[in-house]
Amino acid sequence: MAGYRHKAKKITVKFEEPHEYAGFEATLRGQHLGGFLNLIGIGEVDMSSLGDQLREMGRALISWNLEDEETGEPVPATPEAAMAQDQDLMIALAKGWLDGLRGIPAPLEPSSTDGQPSPEASIPMEPLSESLAS
């Protein structure tokens, strides 16, 4: 039987219009199971605090299209550079990365239509009346 080589997961986070950070995108490394469990607070080491998650996100950075506000020069995708950026931007990036780790798809663009409503949305959820329950 042939062996299986698992390709490491990479997560791309892209911000689309009308998001405040539209145009910003980054690629980050996925996590091994133990690292993921630690990030969400159920592993051997609890890294579920925002500070720990942001530090781990900085270590997971592979690339991004961030440029220096004043010079227009590319900002290196390093943990140190991530810690020197606007906190709201980095928190948004960390949220996108964590959503990617959890397998949560990116939200649909505002103009996107995803078809008909699901049938579950139209199923009444009230308890049955006494006469129908028996």
Side-chain angles (χ1 to χ4, degrees), residues 23-124:
F24 176 58
E25 61 183 77
T27 302
L28 302 101
R29 288 176 195 84
Q31 290 283 303
H32 56 80
L33 180 59
F36 172 71
L37 293 175
N38 290 338
L39 277 171
I40 62 172
I42 58 175
E44 291 181 21
V45 178
D46 185 351
M47 295 172 45
S48 62
S49 77
L50 180 59
D52 288 336
Q53 290 172 344
L54 288 167
R55 281 186 281 284
E56 192 60 30
M57 180 213 64
R59 288 189 284 273
L61 268 173
I62 296 170
S63 65
W64 59 13
N65 66 346
L66 191 62
E67 297 176 351
D68 183 274
E69 181 180 22
E70 294 173 12
T71 67
E73 293 292 317
V75 175
T78 64
E80 298 78 22
M83 290 299 142
Q85 302 310 310
D86 175 75
Q87 68 181 12
D88 293 335
L89 175 61
M90 292 299 100
I91 290 170
L93 177 57
K95 181 185 179 318
W97 177 61
L98 288 168
D99 285 351
L101 289 173
R102 289 183 179 110
I104 299 171
L108 294 174
E109 295 177 34
S111 62
S112 175
T113 58
D114 62 349
Q116 299 297 320
S118 69
E120 290 82 9
S122 62
I123 298 173

Side-chain angles (χ1 to χ4, degrees), residues 4-9:
Y4 170 75
R5 292 186 189 196
H6 185 73
K7 186 174 181 180
K9 182 177 186 176

